[in-house]
Amino acid sequence: MNTSFIYLDYNASTPIDTEVSNAMLPYLTDFYGNPSSVHLLGEINKKAIEKSRNQMAKLLGAKSNEIIFTSGGTESNNYAIIGTALKKKHLGNHIITSTVEHPAVIEVYKYLEKIGFETSYINVDTSGRLKIEELKESITSKTVLISIMHANNETGSVQPIKEIGKLAKEHGITFHTDACQSVGKIAINVNELQVDLLSLAGHKFYGPKGIGALYIREGVSLQKILHGAKHEFNMRPGTENVMQIVGLGKAAELAVRDFDKNILQMKKVKEYLLKQLKEKNLDYLINGHTASNLPNTLNVSFKNTNAYQVMHQLKEKLAISIGAACHSEEVHLSNILRATLMDKAYASGTFRFSVGKNSTKNEIDQALDLLLSNVGH
């Protein structure tokens, strides 16, 4: 990789922390036994899995027996949503989510609609926050599941999960949150949030890709969607991916250990980015909630700018995400930008900056120098 390449796309994926890769390496080379085996190598792997489960539980304020390992956020979301819906179908066929969820949730809901479930899609306000009153009004006696993301991947807006959790509990509704974007960036305690199910993905907080976890509150029952042997408390069959699980556990340990330091650094860099934008006297809009927001995410729309063309020119020098797809002179906005972008004249010029724990002010300066020579022209 070009050493001058600037990476500000941490919401898409993060680099594996060196301590994480070092922890994983022995399970690639030396500790290759099956965790279900009774011999020494099997026991070593089994203990490694349980250590990682404890590390993951500590990050979430959960019990270790409430954590199962999956292949990532998408599988966790599928299991939480489909598993709940099928298990509780005898109680009702009404399920609730928001209009701004990740496809790993929206597409699961669309699948359930094909097999007889009815969905209420709750809107968000212009700050990207869920309309609680609309949620309350949508609940019926047949509602069995609510799934609302913790933080939006595009704008960084954080949802009122604690309030939603309290509401779900009052009505006896299972509540799931997709926390893939929030884990490691804001404090999470599953009991304070009153969630029954929580999904996460390792590659969003300096762990490896292809590994994730699902928190399942003790006493919550899901219908299995994969069938085989009785791994992961008889909930997720298949020989465990020990190396990846070890990496996920180590990433969780580092997230707890370095939480305050990482958050402070990300906030400083994000605030510096915002300050620099203001000083440039540019014509732009900030999308999303300004107060209840991830400490690392800033979604900006510039007027008279085609973000796709800009990033195509800069793709070998800079990594950030664009917020709108442009096809045949037509701008296609995501659901979250439709709700939060106050002036659609800015739509095609939307960029998402997402910084990481090692991002620097110097990187922001370089990124803005590259970007602003192409913005508004």
Side-chain angles (χ1 to χ4, degrees):
M1 176 61 69
N2 184 350
T3 54
S4 63
F5 188 81
I6 304 161
Y7 191 80
L8 298 174
D9 201 19
Y10 285 80
N11 282 10
S13 196
T14 59
I16 296 179
D17 190 282
T18 302
E19 290 187 61
V20 171
S21 56
N22 287 342
M24 293 169 63
L25 189 58
Y27 296 88
L28 178 65
T29 56
D30 299 328
F31 304 138
Y32 44 79
N34 189 315
S36 297
S37 299
V38 297
H39 52 64
L40 177 61
L41 282 181
E43 288 182 356
I44 289 172
N45 280 273
K46 187 69 173 177
K47 287 179 180 178
I49 291 172
E50 295 315 309
K51 178 181 178 180
S52 295
R53 205 184 306 280
N54 288 329
Q55 291 167 319
M56 197 73 256
K58 185 175 181 181
L59 177 61
L60 301 178
K63 301 175 185 176
S64 61
N65 65 345
E66 295 176 314
I67 305 295
I68 69 166
F69 296 111
T70 68
S71 62
T74 294
E75 183 189 333
S76 294
N77 286 338
N78 272 261
Y79 191 14
I81 295 166
I82 297 174
T84 297
L86 296 183
K87 190 71 176 182
K88 300 183 75 173
K89 192 173 185 180
H90 65 289
L91 298 175
N93 70 334
H94 181 237
I95 52 181
I96 299 173
T97 191
S98 82
T99 58
V100 299
E101 299 295 313
H102 190 277
V105 168
I106 291 288
E107 292 302 317
V108 184
Y109 269 73
K110 288 182 179 179
Y111 162 74
L112 288 173
E113 289 167 13
K114 293 177 182 177
I115 61 172
F117 286 87
E118 297 178 359
T119 303
S120 291
Y121 292 95
I122 311 303
N123 294 302
V124 296
D125 60 25
T126 54
S127 73
R129 296 262 286 178
L130 193 82
K131 294 183 176 180
I132 291 291
E133 289 305 315
E134 187 177 323
L135 173 61
K136 290 178 180 177
E137 292 170 3
S138 73
I139 293 173
T140 74
S141 60
K142 294 183 178 180
T143 306
V144 295
L145 171 68
I146 298 172
S147 180
I148 304 294
M149 62 169 37
H150 194 187
N152 187 268
N153 51 299
E154 293 182 56
T155 64
S157 294
V158 178
Q159 300 296 352
I161 296 299
K162 188 183 295 187
E163 188 176 349
I164 300 168
K166 183 175 182 292
L167 182 64
K169 189 174 182 180
E170 289 171 354
H171 289 271
I173 301 168
T174 301
F175 178 38
H176 164 255
T177 189
D178 174 354
C180 290
Q181 283 297 343
S182 56
V183 170
K185 299 172 188 171
I186 54 178
I188 293 178
N189 183 291
V190 291
N191 295 308
E192 291 180 4
L193 295 177
Q194 298 193 57
V195 295
D196 298 303
L197 303 157
L198 181 146
S199 302
L200 60 88
H203 76 106
K204 301 293 188 180
F205 61 108
Y206 310 96
K209 298 175 181 65
I211 187 69
L214 176 62
Y215 159 77
I216 307 173
R217 181 174 295 280
E218 198 169 46
V220 171
S221 182
L222 303 178
Q223 183 163 315
K224 290 172 67 173
I225 59 175
L226 294 174
H227 301 276
K230 297 183 179 181
H231 304 89
E232 290 299 288
F233 309 113
N234 195 26
M235 293 184 188
R236 204 267 187 175
T239 301
E240 297 92 341
N241 188 345
V242 182
M243 179 183 69
Q244 301 281 66
I245 290 172
V246 167
L248 181 66
K250 188 65 178 181
E253 178 188 293
L254 298 182
V256 172
R257 187 191 74 188
D258 300 334
F259 182 80
D260 291 340
K261 180 181 73 173
N262 291 345
I263 301 309
L264 180 61
Q265 177 64 13
M266 289 189 288
K267 282 183 176 179
K268 281 182 177 179
V269 175
K270 176 182 171 179
E271 288 168 3
Y272 180 75
L273 167 60
L274 190 54
K275 177 175 176 286
Q276 293 302 106
L277 285 172
K278 289 177 180 177
E279 290 180 355
K280 301 293 183 185
N281 197 29
L282 296 162
D283 192 351
Y284 68 91
L285 298 174
I286 301 295
N287 304 305
H289 202 285
T290 53
S292 184
N293 200 282
L294 292 176
N296 79 316
T297 307
L298 189 68
N299 191 293
V300 185
S301 294
F302 297 95
K303 200 168 186 179
N304 301 323
T305 300
N306 186 314
Y308 179 82
Q309 290 181 359
V310 171
M311 285 313 302
H312 184 72
Q313 294 173 346
L314 299 178
K315 65 182 180 180
E316 294 182 2
K317 299 178 181 178
L318 174 66
I320 58 175
S321 288
I322 59 175
C326 303
H327 304 288
S328 303
E329 304 303 319
E330 189 176 344
V331 178
H332 298 277
L333 286 177
S334 64
N335 287 337
I336 185 68
L337 287 177
R338 283 196 195 97
T340 59
L341 189 57
M342 301 304 294
D343 186 340
K344 300 305 184 284
Y346 293 75
S348 64
T350 302
F351 299 87
R352 180 194 69 189
F353 296 84
S354 51
V355 304
K357 64 182 183 179
N358 295 317
S359 296
T360 65
K361 293 178 181 179
N362 183 52
E363 287 179 322
I364 296 299
D365 289 334
Q366 293 180 59
L368 288 179
D369 284 344
L370 289 169
L371 264 183
L372 300 186
S373 61
N374 293 277
V375 163
H377 301 298

